[in-house]
Amino acid sequence: ILNVEQSPQSLHVQEGDSTNFTCSFPSSNFYALHWYRWETAKSPEALFVMTLNGDEKKKGQISATLNTKEGYSYLYIKGSQPEDSATYLCAFRGRGSTLGRLYFGRGTQLTVWP
Amino acid sequence: DGGITQSPKYLFRKEGQNVTLSCEQNLNHDAMYWYRQDPGQGLRLIYYSQIVNDFQKGDIAEGYSVSREKKESFPLTVTSAQKNPTAFYLCASKPGLAGAGEQFFGPGTRLTVL
């Protein structure tokens, strides 16, 4: 079983603060790194799928970077809003992974206070 | 609307009983997955399937069984052999095996054993 680590486990910020969190994964046999947002009482939804070292992706005020050589990805939220409150999951897929299976981290729970 | 449905949303089971969780998708996806979530843990893979009548064990398959008689359906049975079945269960699907594409998730079923 592959080890995917996320930090911090939880984060509380004020509206308007910028924040970032980390996902660490094995640096060998990398194929893809996924980020999902999971809001309470909803289904997890994909934010980004990243495949290339140095990839940077952006969706609105959320962006992510990827370093496959050292095995980490950062997720940034600029100017957090209460609606950004959710658990953010990252998931690693290795090369040769059967049926596209993913290995998930434990998530970072973000709470944005108005 | 295309998507993944899971039913029921909440399920209560007496010890020693088998129970089946439903997962249906109308996205025409080939691959389907079952995950379990426990407090403080990442999503853990129970079973996955790429095609009708074929499925593979994930990391925590003991005490569970699945079937894939139709492309759109992937029910999970929690048997009495599962020692600690109380958890939140998520079903997911993916368009195909190839590619780094995201998984699409259902809303989940919370199972409580009384």
Side-chain angles (χ1 to χ4, degrees):
Chain A
I1 297 179
L2 296 174
N3 200 29
V4 178
E5 299 283 346
Q6 289 188 248
S7 62
Q9 189 175 332
S10 66
L11 201 51
H12 295 254
V13 302
Q14 289 292 130
E15 182 176 357
D17 288 350
S18 293
T19 185
N20 66 86
F21 18 96
T22 305
C23 174
S24 302
F25 52 85
S27 56
S28 58
N29 292 319
F30 175 86
Y31 186 76
L33 192 284
H34 294 211
W35 281 101
Y36 292 86
R37 175 166 59 197
W38 191 0
E39 296 177 69
T40 303
K42 294 187 177 180
S43 308
E45 288 187 344
L47 284 171
F48 305 113
V49 177
M50 309 176 80
T51 57
L52 297 175
N53 185 43
D55 244 358
E56 288 190 30
K57 301 254 184 182
K58 189 172 181 183
K59 184 181 287 189
Q61 297 299 99
I62 303 177
S63 60
T65 61
L66 178 68
N67 183 324
T68 61
K69 295 190 186 310
E70 297 182 39
Y72 64 84
S73 176
Y74 294 138
L75 189 79
Y76 301 92
I77 303 179
K78 184 179 175 183
S80 305
Q81 299 298 309
E83 53 266 33
D84 293 322
S85 297
T87 297
Y88 291 82
L89 303 175
C90 74
F92 169 85
R93 179 178 169 184
R95 194 177 301 127
S97 166
T98 309
L99 300 183
R101 69 159 295 173
L102 299 174
Y103 295 86
F104 283 84
R106 297 182 181 192
T108 293
Q109 187 172 17
L110 174 67
T111 304
V112 183
W113 299 102
Chain B
D1 274 35
I4 302 179
T5 56
Q6 291 185 242
S7 61
K9 190 172 181 180
Y10 299 97
L11 190 55
F12 297 90
R13 187 196 94 175
K14 292 182 180 178
E15 277 196 41
Q17 286 181 337
N18 291 356
V19 64
T20 297
L21 282 58
S22 167
C23 176
E24 304 275 332
Q25 53 99 357
N26 60 4
L27 301 167
N28 200 33
H29 287 175
D30 290 310
M32 296 188 74
Y33 309 82
W34 272 106
Y35 294 95
R36 168 180 172 142
Q37 195 209 24
D38 295 281
Q41 297 212 34
L43 299 181
R44 291 186 291 166
L45 184 65
I46 305 172
Y47 266 99
Y48 52 129
S49 166
Q50 64 169 327
I51 196 171
V52 171
N53 293 326
D54 181 72
F55 41 84
Q56 310 290 329
K57 291 183 180 181
D59 300 320
I60 54 166
E62 186 177 348
Y64 298 97
S65 65
V66 292
S67 62
R68 188 91 186 269
E69 296 177 4
K70 298 185 295 182
K71 184 176 182 178
E72 57 270 23
S73 178
F74 191 39
L76 175 74
T77 297
V78 185
T79 75
S80 56
Q82 169 50 233
K83 299 206 183 321
N84 186 19
T86 294
F88 188 73
Y89 292 87
L90 272 174
C91 179
S93 69
K94 183 175 176 292
L97 305 177
E102 67 193 81
Q103 291 184 10
F104 293 78
F105 287 86
T109 293
R110 184 166 298 281
L111 173 64
T112 303
V113 174
L114 304 172

